[in-house]
Amino acid sequence: MDILVINCGSSSLKYQLIDMEGEKVLAKGLVERIGIEGSRIKHEPINAEKVVIEEPIQDHKKALKMVVEAIVSKEHGVIESMNQITAVGHRVVHGGEDFSKSVIITDKVMEALEKNIELAPLHNPPNITGIEACKAIMPDVPMVAVFDTAFHQTIPEENYIYAIPYEYYEKYKIRRYGFHGTSHKYVAFRTAEILGRDLKDLNIVTCHLGNGASITAIKSGVSIDTSMGFTPLEGLAMGTRSGNIDPAIIPFLMKKENMSCDEVNDVLNKESGVLGVSGISSDFRDLEDEAAKGNKRAQLALNLFANRVKKYIAAYIAELGRVDAIVFTAGVGENSPLIRKMVCDGLNFIGVSIDNELNDVKGKERIISSEDSKVKVLIVPTNEELMIARETMELVK
Ligand code: AMP
């Protein structure tokens, strides 16, 4: 059974074709600059050279047509015909309160996705466009929507309601939704497998630390709290996002800097986080290099980031009552021994201890806690595409 996984952005489309027997990636790729000059597809078939095809790609329908052509092409294809694609799994950012699980896409689902556009105005429209393009090109292939928010729909009310007038939840559905759900779920499942334990018996804190970053408390395989909120702006400091700030800073800045609401929103989303603090970069590799050379603001950004991760982990352990494993994933979580060490060294008081040699690794799945650590600490590279493919297969089987 071959499943095509699609992740559509406003001007990009990422894809993977996965053979579910053995969960093998047959091909993956990226269509970039859709609707913009210089558009191209980068296609990486298994066991063959990567190819880049540059040509005008005016919309997502054309992009998807090129993806299918690349996958079945004689020169760099991996399957013989489109009919071999059993189903398509689409990443959808926001399912609101309508979806607590992945679903087969029907007209009713499409209506609900449209309704949720106001909750994710930047992300849901391209996701919908991708689904529509797929429907046009492969009308008879079943499709599944896998939501970033769905895994967090189990969070209890006291953790998802904000302390603002309740009517705003009733009127506008303002509440914590949480994101990166597919990633948190994947690494929690994998952690149970690595530890040889039943997920039902485990309390886990998962740390998805990438350009966007969030932490989740998982009890018996179920999300009970997560750091991102109504939008992906809440919680940790991130590459360019502020994470938590005193909300009173917003009107203060609007008055002092004569900024509009949209301008402040842009500052908090695009100019803040470790980029804003360091004034150097949103990329942790640059910050680590600069800090090592003695740059104080780069060091401050790293300290601030790691400290906030540590505080969330400790708070979530308090909520869970006990923790069996802390898991690091995504770009920074998988690749930065320094950040993992800064976070874990601050958690010695609850019996977390990492082995410096085991921690000295990038992008490898492994346990990095020392023998005597009371809590297991793991690196689990995330694999959202595989999780989407698995959920798609389950639904269409
Ligand atoms: P993601 O959003 O998960 O793709 O993560 C992207 C981020 O991971 C980049 O912005 C980098 O800051 C970070 N990253 C990638 N490789 C490394 C590395 N070797 N050391 C530190 N940070 C890294």
Side-chain angles (χ1 to χ4, degrees):
M1 188 186 257
D2 296 341
I3 306 265
L4 180 62
V5 176
I6 298 285
N7 181 355
C8 257
S10 55
S11 65
S12 70
L13 187 160
K14 282 193 216 146
Y15 63 94
Q16 279 195 12
L17 183 71
I18 304 179
D19 174 359
M20 295 310 285
E21 257 171 63
E23 297 188 330
K24 198 166 69 180
V25 178
L26 299 177
K28 63 179 175 182
L30 168 68
V31 188
E32 288 175 295
R33 302 180 65 84
I34 300 170
I36 310 171
E37 210 180 311
S39 44
R40 61 183 168 243
I41 173 170
K42 287 186 201 159
H43 175 68
E44 284 181 61
I46 189 176
N47 302 335
E49 285 288 298
K50 176 160 118 181
V51 280
V52 179
I53 304 164
E54 293 194 22
E55 67 173 70
I57 305 172
Q58 67 276 25
D59 56 24
H60 286 76
K61 195 167 155 197
K62 170 84 193 285
L64 206 79
K65 200 157 164 270
M66 288 180 74
V67 169
V68 173
E69 277 166 9
I71 287 171
V72 302
S73 100
K74 285 222 158 53
E75 303 88 67
H76 36 255
V78 287
I79 53 175
E80 279 180 9
S81 104
M82 205 169 83
N83 298 335
Q84 274 172 260
I85 301 174
T86 314
V88 182
H90 289 271
R91 176 190 182 217
V92 180
V93 169
H94 217 309
E97 289 189 324
D98 296 312
F99 301 104
S100 57
K101 285 193 175 76
S102 303
V103 285
I104 299 218
I105 297 172
T106 60
D107 289 347
K108 239 177 145 188
V109 169
M110 291 305 283
E111 274 171 36
L113 296 187
E114 294 278 347
K115 196 187 83 189
N116 283 322
I117 284 180
E118 65 172 0
L119 293 174
L122 294 180
H123 293 105
N124 271 24
N127 297 158
I128 293 170
T129 307
I131 296 171
E132 275 163 356
C134 249
K135 273 191 184 166
I137 305 231
M138 315 180 211
D140 302 321
V141 179
M143 290 192 226
V144 168
V146 180
F147 303 93
D148 270 20
T149 50
F151 181 56
H152 301 300
Q153 279 294 302
T154 45
I155 289 177
E157 214 176 9
E158 63 269 27
N159 286 345
Y160 74 67
I161 291 292
Y162 289 110
I164 58 175
Y166 194 78
E167 65 185 89
Y168 296 135
Y169 167 59
E170 293 173 314
K171 266 209 263 185
Y172 306 119
K173 293 282 170 230
I174 295 177
R175 51 159 287 176
R176 175 181 314 288
Y177 290 100
F179 298 87
H180 294 142
T182 311
S183 174
H184 289 290
K185 186 174 177 182
Y186 172 81
V187 298
F189 272 55
R190 191 68 202 121
T191 297
E193 279 175 3
I194 296 166
L195 298 179
R197 302 268 306 271
D198 192 336
L199 188 56
K200 288 235 154 16
D201 301 329
L202 292 176
N203 285 357
I204 307 176
V205 177
T206 49
C207 309
H208 179 111
L209 310 179
N211 209 6
S214 68
I215 301 205
T216 298
I218 301 174
K219 200 180 192 80
S220 307
V222 163
S223 169
I224 64 154
D225 208 351
T226 194
S227 60
M228 282 180 169
F230 178 58
T231 73
L233 186 57
E234 193 184 343
L236 300 171
M238 309 181 205
T240 62
R241 288 178 225 155
S242 65
N244 293 348
I245 58 165
D246 180 341
I249 294 170
I250 296 167
F252 185 89
L253 269 182
M254 288 172 78
K255 281 186 204 143
K256 286 279 180 197
E257 294 274 316
N258 201 18
M259 281 196 232
S260 69
C261 177
D262 284 348
E263 282 167 339
V264 180
N265 200 31
D266 266 3
V267 168
L268 297 180
N269 274 289
K270 298 179 187 157
E271 296 169 28
S272 298
V274 292
L275 168 68
V277 174
S278 68
I280 295 172
S281 171
S282 63
D283 193 305
F284 281 72
R285 286 164 287 202
D286 300 337
L287 297 178
E288 290 183 18
D289 289 348
E290 287 302 315
K293 287 187 219 149
N295 185 304
K296 288 213 165 66
R297 288 219 342 240
Q299 188 63 55
L300 173 64
L302 294 175
N303 293 351
L304 179 155
F305 177 83
N307 202 37
R308 209 176 278 188
V309 173
K310 181 181 76 180
K311 286 195 278 188
Y312 261 105
I313 295 175
Y316 284 178
I317 293 174
E319 277 203 89
L320 289 164
R322 183 200 84 223
V323 68
D324 301 294
I326 296 169
V327 186
F328 289 96
T329 193
V332 182
E334 292 166 25
N335 295 303
S336 174
L338 177 73
I339 291 289
R340 290 191 300 259
K341 185 167 167 51
M342 286 166 80
V343 171
C344 291
D345 280 354
L347 294 167
N348 287 147
F349 76 102
I350 35 171
V352 173
S353 152
I354 56 169
D355 179 309
N356 289 332
E357 259 174 55
L358 293 174
N359 183 42
D360 191 16
V361 69
K362 290 183 186 187
K364 277 238 162 66
E365 186 178 272
R366 69 158 60 152
I367 298 174
I368 56 167
S369 40
S370 54
E371 285 271 313
D372 60 348
S373 180
K374 291 201 183 95
V375 181
K376 296 281 184 207
V377 183
L378 297 92
I379 304 168
V380 179
T382 194
N383 195 339
E384 290 164 280
E385 291 78 12
L386 179 57
M387 197 72 214
I388 292 172
R390 281 182 187 164
E391 305 225 331
T392 301
M393 186 178 77
E394 274 308 305
L395 281 169
V396 300
K397 210 157 58 178

